[in-house]
Amino acid sequence: FFAWKMVDPTLAEMGKNLNEAMKMLEDNQRKVEEENEKKYARKDIPGPLQGSGQDMVSILQLVQNLMHGEEEEETSQAYRLQNVGEQGHMALLGHSLAAYISVLDRERLRKLTTRILSDTTLWLCRLFRYENGSAYYHEDDREGLLKICRLVIHTRYEDYTVEGFNVLYTKQPVIYISSAARTGLGQALCNQLGLPLSCMCRVPCNTMFGSQHQMDVALLDRVIKDDVDSGKLPLLLVANAGTPGAGHTDKLGRLKELCEQYNMWLHVEGVNLATLALGYVSSSVLAATKCDSMTLTLGSWLGLPAVPAVTLYRHEDPSLSLAAGLTSSQPVEKLRALPLWLSLQYLGHDGIVERIKHASQLSQRLLENLKNLDFIKTSVEDELSSPVVVFKFFWEYSNRDQTSHAAQASTIQHPIISNERHIYDTFNQWLGEQLAQLVPASGVDVVELEDEGTCVRFSPLMTSAVLGTEIQDVDQLVDCLKMKIPVLTSTLQLREEFEQEVRRTVGLLYIEDLSWPGLGVVRYNCHSDGKNDGKQEKELEKINTELLKKLNELESDLTFSLGPEFGGQKNCVYIGMVTEDLDVSELVETIAATGREIEENSRLLENMTEVVRKGIQEAQLQLQKANEERLLEEGLLRQIPVVGSVLNWFSPFQASPKGRTFNLTAGSLESTESTYVSKAQGTGTTPPPTPTSSLAKQRLPGQKIFKRSVRSSDTFSETSSVSHCDDLEKVDPRPPALSPGQEQGPRQMEKTEEQKELAQATQMDTEGTQSDEPPRHCTKAEEGESQR
């Protein structure tokens, strides 16, 4: 991608090697002969250093195998590697150039690093409207704030350089941060600065007026006054231009006035600072240009890999900046800005503004579509321009009562309000995971907010440049959201009905699991019959596992599972999301009937071994007795080998064969004499019928189980079964009616007589079969021919 026409052959070779290396690392097609090398790389086992060394191709192949890892990890990481782009190659080239430039002679290195640092700082200050600022480039985005804190300590405590922490005893410094700030930010600052946690003050957000994610300015004013009266020194205030959760901006103008009043330093950070590069900037964000320092994370905003974060600040004393570590006398440390210097030149001013503008348009497009959706509640600071869109599924009880079925309105009760928050958090967690899975290019994620609970967040400034998000991805996200809303509303509405049906059904136990995103959790309880707890627990696990297997074999649209891998209840059946045409009564009755069937079959199998063993012993005794009786009946002469044969030839002995049949259903022995007399098996005890659902009903063609018919899905009454039968009669094929001119008398008479004869014959066959045929589940033990 570069035309390498340079005087320095080393730079040309470096760019060429980087180009080839990137192509090799981004190539996901692997050759068959490289599989053996890949196997030992997957194990992550350190190996010995090769004595003869390896070429560059082998080393890069090893890096590629380590990057991609196992096969199942490739799909989740492939899209991230495909959007590096040429601007990303420029940032990666900067790291290679920094290593090469560091070997230059000291004077040439000083001139080059000064130019790179001054150019980058000038470009960034002009881009983000920060006049007369200096820049500090750092890898960790918290490191800039840490250096600013040291700068303020050196500024406010004049003897800090000489006496160190001893000067802090007279006046304890206080750093103020918002309660909506990043998690662990205050503790990290105290640990790095060597200050106690009492030096960190968390300022609550608004509770009555304004955004609930903005710092309460009036309360902050009172806190600062109390600290001053108690002899403490207000040092620094950390404000947000885009909170990490909801993306709201603090009232930076009023906060700046408060900081000037108490001689405090104001530091601002947040994703909304990226909009300072646009032509139109909201007044709340524009106030950040007057702050004392700000931190910019250009890598995520512009999709640049491995570029440093930048902290812009204003300070007049270079010696204090050097003491705080914001500047360095080592030229090599100034090369941190080299990857950013190359990338900014490659993108240009228009390219940078276009990327930030594109991300803002994506968020605005989603926000406009969300306004037209029911049951979706947004939490944005400015509906006209909000770089971060936070939304959640929410269904008010007033709307829920209006849309519920009339027959169910009197029975459904509202759940406890304290549980409502957990249920909505669970459903929104499921919604966010589904959207992220269906539209991975959107970059949506799930965020936990203090007041709103679990929400779905769309922050294209942080993800769109890396994932390559486009307008069609936002439209696809909205379409997926439209498909999931009816599922959420139906599940939430039928969840209460399902709980009541389960509690009314004998043998089923409703398990309340607020963290399960679905219809509910049910357990089939078997009869204990005096068994100990261990045996009963194993039987309960066996029955519910078999119940889950049987339910999954049914042709339905529902999902049945054992629940989450961690934290779920044991020996339960978890039912997932459902649609509005679900017949809850039929579902619950089917679960109960299937559980009873499994329990009865399990008990039958447990008793089968003992019953069969006793039956076989009894059959052996009866057959032995029958053999003795037969010997007495035939006489002693017929038992002699030669004499018996001659006697049987002259005077054959007609003995009726005798045997025994073992009826498994009744558990009794029966004689087979009637079988040989009538030449057909006799009738036995009819086995008990298989438990089936009492709500089993005829279904329309193509209608799946647990689904209400279309005409009876809106309301349910006693006449619904009649209308359902009418529908079945309409669907049944009927012969076409004959015209008046066709003859139908004689032929119809013949058909009627044939049908009567066929019905009589069928009835006679049925009666004969019922009188002669024994059950199929029988085992015969018959006597053979004469034993000699």
Side-chain angles (χ1 to χ4, degrees), residues 142 145-146 149-150 153 168 172-177 184-202:
R142 296 177 300 183
L145 177 57
L146 175 64
C149 291
R150 290 177 177 171
I153 291 177
L168 303 180
Q172 179 180 342
V174 183
I175 301 175
Y176 303 90
I177 63 172
L185 178 61
Q187 185 176 3
L189 291 177
C190 290
N191 292 338
Q192 294 296 325
L193 295 173
L195 299 176
L197 292 179
S198 59
C199 294
M200 190 63 55
C201 178
R202 294 180 60 87

Side-chain angles (χ1 to χ4, degrees), residues 6-40:
M6 298 183 179
V7 179
D8 194 339
T10 306
L11 292 178
E13 185 67 21
M14 184 185 306
K16 182 180 179 181
N17 291 338
L18 178 64
N19 188 16
E20 294 177 354
M22 290 301 300
K23 287 183 178 181
M24 183 177 298
L25 293 177
E26 292 176 351
D27 185 13
N28 292 331
Q29 302 295 331
R30 304 175 188 179
K31 300 179 181 180
V32 179
E33 56 267 21
E34 296 168 349
E35 290 295 328
N36 294 332
E37 299 178 3
K38 180 181 172 182
K39 290 181 181 178
Y40 71 81

Side-chain angles (χ1 to χ4, degrees), residues 764-775:
M764 294 176 62
D765 294 342
T766 306
E767 294 175 356
T769 304
Q770 292 178 353
S771 62
D772 296 335
E773 186 177 29

Side-chain angles (χ1 to χ4, degrees), residues 549-593:
K549 181 180 178 182
K550 293 285 186 182
L551 292 175
N552 284 323
E553 291 175 356
L554 299 176
E555 295 182 359
S556 66
D557 294 333
L558 301 182
T559 56
F560 303 94
S561 65
L562 292 175
E565 184 177 0
F566 302 102
Q569 296 286 340
K570 294 182 179 180
N571 306 328
C572 297
V573 176
Y574 285 75
I575 306 174
M577 293 289 178
V578 299
T579 54
E580 62 179 354
D581 56 351
L582 174 68
D583 194 335
V584 178
S585 300
E586 182 183 1
L587 171 63
V588 175
E589 184 61 28
T590 302
I591 295 175

Side-chain angles (χ1 to χ4, degrees), residues 405 407-408 583 708 712-721:
H405 296 294
Q408 301 169 356
D583 194 335
R708 291 194 299 265
S712 61
S713 60
D714 295 333
T715 57
F716 183 82
S717 63
E718 296 179 357
T719 59
S720 61
S721 59

